[in-house]
């Protein structure tokens, strides 16, 4: 164990019904390989009480024979603490507390710094947030099986999901993250995407988000059609029927509710998360929306909160003037008729000040950046955990 650690040992809360660490039946135990149940449970309880980092059970041959399902890119499996099992064990099962390995925690911390350096150098904050959101935003609360439910499972890295229409341009974000993933193999793709998003918000001056890590990766892609539309299609409708549930509606508010309610989120989360459009741009060659370039997205524009030059690739239309600074300017700009006409105001933006359910939150955030940051941080955290299967949990990174 590591004394004085900030990392809490938590009970695994996997969405999958089978626990990861189990006691096999008596027939599979060997005297030299297995600890007693009472010793393991007592050790785990003590570890939780002391809030130490590395109270884990050493790997044994018997553990390798356990009939628990293991992740495709599980941190525990990769460190040798748990080995993947291809079949289920039918004996009675008891969950045991486990903690992340010291090496896994170390990699998470170093990965976070590497991501900070990446966005500081490239100004890729907006696309990193979009990548994580589009991975997590496929979640369907009514589907109980993992990974069928979608969510923050890292599946966006695979074709066909990465080539869905709503994900146009995100392959470049994956490419930027490849060297970091290679350097920190214990960090799952799902964790990497969500960490990059949280780091990008904080780097741009937004709130520090209370993230947790330990997500399991999946190779099963989510169906197309679960993400929101910014504008109606040629038929005058938003959304469609191709996803796990219909998101079709003739109004932007109705469409947004069908998308976010399917995720288990509500009106407050819809409005708070919409505020992240204080960052970023719409690209005509990706979404078909916005201009090729504006005064705010030209190569000589200064958009960062710290005033440093550089915006990455020039072009596109932004919602705010300082579109690399995370603040509440989205909520002060959208309702302002005197704001610059080159700024983007889509139907899905205007509705937050028109809909009776959304408007109180939008007005609240326009008046108070602190209130916006508080609700945004909670909403971002909730989104980042949708559908995630945590093999073990690491907080405080």
């Amino acid at each position: 164990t590591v004394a004085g650690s900030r990392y809490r040992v938590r009970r695994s809360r996997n969405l999958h019904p089978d626990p990861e660490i189990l006691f096999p039946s008596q027939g599979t135990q060997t005297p030299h390989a297995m600890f007693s149940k009472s010793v393991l449970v007592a050790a785990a309880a003590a570890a939780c009480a002391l809030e130490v980092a590395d109270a884990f059970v050493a790997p044994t041959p018997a553990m390798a024979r356990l009939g628990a399902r293991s992740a495709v890119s599980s941190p525990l499996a990769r460190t040798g603490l748990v080995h993947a099992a291809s079949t289920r064990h039918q004996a009675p099962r008891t969950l045991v507390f486990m903690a992340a390995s010291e090496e896994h925690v170390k990699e998470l911390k170093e990965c976070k710094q590497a991501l900070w350096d990446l966005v500081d150098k490239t100004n890729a904050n907006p696309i990193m947030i979009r990548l994580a959101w589009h991975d997590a935003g496929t979640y369907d609360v009514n589907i109980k099986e993992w990974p069928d439910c979608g969510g923050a499972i890292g599946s966006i890295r695979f074709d066909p999901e990465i080539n869905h229409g709503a994900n146009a341009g995100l392959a470049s974000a994956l490419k930027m993250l490849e060297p970091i993933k290679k350097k920190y193999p214990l960090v799952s793709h799902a964790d990497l995407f969500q960490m990059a998003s949280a780091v990008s918000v904080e780097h741009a001056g937004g709130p520090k988000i209370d993230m947790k890590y330990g997500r399991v990766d999946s190779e099963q892609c989510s169906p197309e059609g679960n993400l929101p539309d910014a504008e109606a299609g040629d038929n005058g409708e938003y959304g469609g029927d191709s996803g796990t549930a219909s998101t079709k509606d003739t109004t932007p508010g109705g469409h947004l509710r069908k998308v976010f309610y399917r995720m288990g989120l509500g009106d407050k989360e819809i409005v708070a998360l919409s505020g992240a459009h204080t960052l970023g741009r719409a690209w005509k060659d990706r979404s078909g929306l916005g201009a090729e370039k504006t005064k705010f997205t030209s190569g000589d524009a200064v958009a960062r909160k710290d005033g440093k030059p550089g915006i990455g690739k020039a072009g596109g239309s932004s919602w705010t003037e300082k579109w690399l600074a995370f603040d509440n300017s989205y909520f002060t700009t959208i309702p302002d008729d005197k704001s610059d006409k080159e700024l983007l105001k889509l139907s899905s933006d205007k509705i937050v000040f028109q809909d009776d359910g959304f408007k109180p939150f939008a007005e609240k955030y326009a008046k108070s950046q602190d209130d916006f940051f508080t609700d945004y941080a909670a909403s971002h955290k909730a989104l980042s955990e949708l559908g995630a299967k945590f093999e073990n949990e690491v907080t405080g990174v």
Side-chain angles (χ1 to χ4, degrees):
T1 64
V2 179
S5 171
R6 292 183 299 138
Y7 301 96
R8 295 175 180 267
V9 178
R10 297 176 180 237
R11 183 171 181 171
S12 173
R13 287 183 280 182
N14 297 341
L15 294 182
H16 193 282
D18 290 338
E20 292 291 337
I21 310 301
L22 312 170
F23 285 99
S25 65
Q26 185 65 33
T28 63
Q29 297 182 27
T30 58
H32 68 279
M34 294 298 295
F35 296 101
S36 72
K37 177 177 178 179
S38 60
V39 169
L40 284 173
V41 172
C48 289
L50 293 172
E51 298 182 3
V52 295
D54 295 289
F56 55 83
V57 180
T60 69
M63 283 185 176
R65 295 193 296 270
L66 292 180
R69 288 186 177 181
S70 185
V72 173
S73 57
S74 145
L76 288 177
R78 289 192 298 273
T79 55
L81 289 174
V82 177
H83 298 268
S86 60
T87 60
R88 289 184 175 182
H89 197 282
Q90 300 302 315
R93 299 167 175 182
T94 305
L95 182 66
V96 179
F97 290 80
M98 293 291 283
S101 69
E102 183 176 0
E103 184 62 25
H104 182 205
V105 173
K106 179 174 180 289
E107 283 201 9
L108 284 167
K109 294 174 71 175
E110 292 180 357
C111 181
K112 183 178 181 181
Q113 183 59 53
L115 290 168
W116 185 282
D117 294 342
L118 174 68
V119 296
D120 188 59
K121 179 180 179 181
T122 63
N123 299 302
N125 311 59
I127 200 171
M128 293 301 166
I129 296 171
R130 180 169 167 246
L131 176 69
W133 282 29
H134 283 211
D135 192 43
T138 61
Y139 179 65
D140 192 324
V141 70
N142 296 308
I143 298 177
K144 304 305 178 184
E145 292 296 318
W146 188 93
D148 297 353
C149 58
I153 59 177
S155 61
I156 198 171
R157 71 194 191 276
F158 292 113
D159 181 67
E161 188 171 345
I162 189 59
N163 290 315
H164 290 171
N167 294 332
L170 289 178
S172 61
L174 294 177
K175 190 73 174 177
M176 294 172 73
L177 292 174
E178 281 180 4
I180 295 177
K181 180 66 178 80
K182 185 175 181 179
K183 187 173 182 180
Y184 303 108
L186 298 186
V187 179
S188 68
H189 286 92
D191 272 352
L192 178 65
F193 301 159
Q194 299 306 322
M195 178 183 279
S197 179
V199 165
S200 294
V201 170
E202 185 179 354
H203 175 272
K208 180 178 176 61
I209 300 164
D210 182 24
M211 300 288 286
K212 70 177 178 181
Y213 300 103
R215 293 171 185 78
V216 171
D217 281 337
S218 171
E219 295 182 357
Q220 179 176 313
C221 289
S222 298
E224 188 165 15
N226 275 11
L227 297 172
D229 289 342
E231 291 288 0
D234 294 338
N235 61 357
E237 295 181 337
Y238 298 80
D241 297 321
S242 62
T244 58
S246 176
T247 62
K248 187 185 297 184
D249 204 282
T250 57
T251 67
H255 169 63
L256 288 174
R257 286 192 171 93
K258 287 179 179 178
V259 171
F260 283 87
Y261 286 12
R262 187 207 67 234
M263 298 183 209
L265 302 178
D267 287 0
K268 179 172 72 173
E269 289 80 12
I270 291 173
V271 180
L273 292 171
S274 294
H277 280 143
T278 188
L279 295 181
R281 299 166 281 179
W283 294 85
K284 202 171 187 64
D285 61 342
R286 299 175 187 174
S287 64
L289 303 172
E292 294 293 341
K293 185 171 63 175
T294 73
K295 67 172 68 72
F296 304 110
T297 63
S298 63
D300 58 354
V302 177
R304 289 176 56 134
K305 186 177 182 66
D306 58 14
K308 291 182 180 179
I311 61 170
K313 178 183 176 182
S317 290
S318 63
W319 286 264
T320 62
E321 295 183 11
K322 300 293 185 182
W323 51 269
L324 285 173
F326 197 100
D327 52 31
N328 71 334
S329 59
Y330 172 85
F331 295 106
T332 59
T333 301
I334 295 300
D336 184 3
D337 294 334
K338 296 179 181 179
S339 60
D340 195 288
K341 299 305 179 185
E342 290 193 2
L343 295 175
L344 201 61
K345 296 183 182 182
L346 304 173
S347 298
S348 51
D349 301 313
K350 296 174 185 177
I351 195 64
V352 300
F353 280 95
Q354 297 168 349
D355 182 274
D356 289 341
F358 298 155
K359 187 176 181 179
F361 298 109
E363 291 180 339
K364 173 184 177 184
Y365 302 151
K367 293 176 182 177
S368 172
Q369 181 168 285
D370 289 343
D371 286 345
F372 168 51
F373 277 19
T374 297
D375 287 354
Y376 177 82
S379 299
H380 185 124
K381 176 179 172 62
L383 177 66
S384 77
E385 296 173 8
L386 294 180
K389 177 182 177 182
F390 289 92
E391 185 171 70
N392 53 1
E393 295 181 12
V394 178
T395 60
V397 173

